[in-house]
Every structure is written in structure tokens, then in C-alpha cells.
């Protein structure tokens, strides 16, 4: 997979100008752009994978993480508008899903080229309020318990208090992006939305993912995946097939 260099810190792996269409991917809480590198290896060559790097992690670890969706997408939208060639699509998982949604709305407001498709997973529709995990008030031991219930965090991290202390500010900020998010009604997007719903995700059930349909005037598709909050990552082949089918011919 070849990529084009970019000066944007949001696009550490380039803009995939070689591809017919680009897929911008926003990660879940605590994760960085590298979370999608191995996951996206099975995508067809005509889809260019472009993992996005929010502040506070990996190549941007010395920057303060953002705890609100508004400032995050305002900064990201400027780079997408100038650095990413259309056509492109956006995919977001968990906290990344609400950021992806608000990115689409921000791009519409500033008159920039909009994505051809929005893919979301692991996050209830924006008009449905999220529950608060109150991570900022937890001890390190309590944080480990919360992350263990969510799934997706390696045991070696959960068993390392030093690592958890280092991750605590980032996780608190990331969770706040989703959990403190206040939905502001706007007209639905004019782009298709595809939602991936995990059958055993207590934070974002199938009905809550189906509610994303209200956010588009275009086609809405719901795919159910067996598993927990991270089913969209665990079932990469199925997700890739659905993404390719949705983007073919764009």
C-alpha cells in the first residue's frame, strides 16, 4: 500500500491519492491511527485507507487530547478540506463515530467537498444521549474495571498501574468527546449512512444503531455483527465487504 506524504498531523500515513476513493478512519477512545493499519489490510486496492490521528496519541502524543467534539472536528475539517482529494468516505468507531458524524456536518457548514458515505459503529445515534462513565473521578483500579467491562484493552495494560495512569488523561478526554456530547439538531445529511451494530454491545445496541437512519436523507443500511463493542474490528472481512459494496461505483 503506497501513500502520499502530507504535512497534516491528522494524516500520518498519507492521503492515498493512488486509490479511486479514500476511506478516512477515526479511532475509538484511547486508540490512534495505527489501530486501523492492520485492520484495513484486507480492503481492496481501489479503496485507500487513511487512518486519522487525533491529538494526544502516537505521533501526536505530546499534544493535549481534545475533550469536546466541536474543537476536534473544527481542526480536522480544515485539514480534510485542503489535503484530501474527493471522492472519499468516513468511518468512525465508538467515540470516532460521533466525531465522524460531526465532521460531516462541519464540512457541510464550511462548504467543503463532503464525503460520499458515512460508516459508523459502536456508538448509539447522536440524538440518543450517552451514559457517562465518569472516568475522571475513578481510581486506577476502578478504571481497570471499567475498561475490562468495555473489552478491547489488552490484559497487560489493565494489569499495569503505571500504564493506566499514563492513559487516564487521554481516556478521560476521549470518553468525554462522546459522553458529554450535546446533540444540536440540523437537517439530516444528504449522504448515505451505513451502521454496524454489535449484537452484544451494552452501550450501543442494535436498536440504537438503527436510529442513525434519522440522520440521512439518503440510503441507510444496518449490518448486525456478532460480538461485543469491538465487533467491527473483530469481523474485518465482513466489514470490508460491506464497505466495498457501498463504495463501488462512487
Amino acid at each position: 500500500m503506497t501513500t502520499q506524504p502530507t504535512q497534516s498531523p491528522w494524516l500520518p500515513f498519507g492521503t492515498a491519492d493512488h486509490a479511486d476513493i479514500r476511506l478516512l478512519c477515526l479511532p475509538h477512545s484511547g486508540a490512534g491511527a495505527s489501530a486501523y493499519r492492520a485492520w484495513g489490510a484486507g480492503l481492496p486496492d481501489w479503496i485507500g485507507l487513511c487512518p486519522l490521528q487525533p491529538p494526544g496519541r502516537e505521533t501526536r502524543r505530546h499534544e493535549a487530547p481534545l475533550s469536546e467534539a466541536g474543537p476536534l472536528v473544527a481542526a480536522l475539517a480544515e485539514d480534510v478540506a485542503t489535503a484530501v482529494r474527493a471522492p472519499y468516505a468516513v468511518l468512525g468507531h465508538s467515540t470516532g463515530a460521533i466525531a465522524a458524524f460531526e465532521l460531516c456536518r462541519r464540512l457541510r457548514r464550511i462548504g467543503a467537498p463532503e464525503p460520499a458515505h458515512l460508516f459508523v459503529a459502536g456508538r448509539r445515534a447522536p440524538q440518543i444521549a450517552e451514559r457517562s462513565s465518569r472516568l475522571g473521578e475513578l481510581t486506577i483500579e476502578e478504571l481497570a474495571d471499567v475498561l475490562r467491562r468495555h473489552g478491547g484493552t489488552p490484559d497487560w495494560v489493565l494489569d499495569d498501574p503505571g500504564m493506566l495512569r499514563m492513559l487516564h488523561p487521554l481516556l478521560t478526554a476521549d470518553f468525554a468527546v462522546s459522553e458529554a456530547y450535546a446533540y444540536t439538531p440540523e437537517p439530516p445529511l444528504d449522504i448515505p449512512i451505513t451502521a454496524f451494530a454489535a449484537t452484544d454491545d451494552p452501550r450501543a445496541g442494535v436498536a440504537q444503531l438503527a436510529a442513525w437512519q434519522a440522520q440521512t436523507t439518503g440510503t441507510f443500511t444496518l449490518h448486525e455483527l456478532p460480538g461485543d463493542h469491538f465487533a467491527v474490528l473483530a469481523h474485518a472481512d465482513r466489514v470490508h465487504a460491506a464497505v466495498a459494496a457501498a463504495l463501488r461505483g462512487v
Side-chain angles (χ1 to χ4, degrees):
M1 180 185 297
T2 59
T3 58
Q4 296 296 320
T6 174
Q7 297 301 311
S8 170
W10 291 95
L11 293 153
F13 302 117
T15 53
D17 286 346
H18 66 284
D20 294 337
I21 186 168
R22 279 134 291 287
L23 180 64
L24 310 185
C25 297
L26 278 154
H28 56 275
S29 294
S34 63
Y36 284 109
R37 289 288 277 174
W39 175 87
L43 287 167
D45 291 342
W46 55 271
I47 299 177
L49 182 72
C50 297
L52 294 171
Q53 189 83 284
R57 62 219 78 198
E58 297 177 2
T59 55
R60 306 183 71 182
R61 61 187 177 278
H62 299 303
E63 300 179 48
L66 297 173
S67 59
E68 297 179 48
L72 189 152
V73 301
L76 174 56
E78 294 298 325
D79 279 26
V80 170
T82 57
V84 178
R85 179 172 62 84
Y88 68 95
V90 181
L91 181 149
H93 174 225
S94 193
T95 294
I98 209 64
F101 169 68
E102 285 297 335
L103 172 63
C104 293
R105 301 212 296 180
R106 176 75 179 184
L107 290 165
R108 179 173 64 179
R109 283 187 225 113
I110 66 176
E114 296 179 47
H117 206 108
L118 171 62
F119 300 93
V120 294
R123 212 287 183 182
R124 57 186 69 185
Q127 69 273 18
I128 304 175
E130 181 68 280
R131 300 195 308 269
S132 175
S133 299
R134 304 168 70 92
L135 290 193
E137 304 172 15
L138 301 183
T139 67
I140 293 303
E141 293 75 17
E142 291 168 336
L143 173 64
D145 288 340
V146 168
L147 296 179
R148 193 170 279 108
R149 289 197 301 271
H150 276 277
T153 303
D155 287 339
W156 69 267
V157 173
L158 297 174
D159 295 335
D160 186 339
M163 180 65 70
L164 288 173
R165 279 190 209 91
M166 185 176 68
L167 290 175
H168 199 184
L170 173 59
L171 289 168
T172 299
D174 276 3
F175 271 62
V177 169
S178 180
E179 295 179 347
Y181 171 76
Y183 173 68
T184 301
E186 289 183 16
L189 297 169
D190 294 327
I191 61 176
I193 295 178
T194 295
F196 298 98
T199 55
D200 297 311
D201 186 347
R203 295 180 62 87
V206 174
Q208 293 164 327
L209 267 294
W212 278 92
Q213 184 169 10
Q215 297 300 331
T216 179
T217 61
T219 302
F220 176 77
T221 306
L222 178 69
H223 295 277
E224 293 188 28
L225 301 173
D228 60 14
H229 187 65
F230 291 91
V232 71
L233 302 181
H235 297 284
D237 290 349
R238 291 176 61 173
V239 175
H240 293 165
V243 168
L247 297 182
R248 192 170 285 113
V250 168

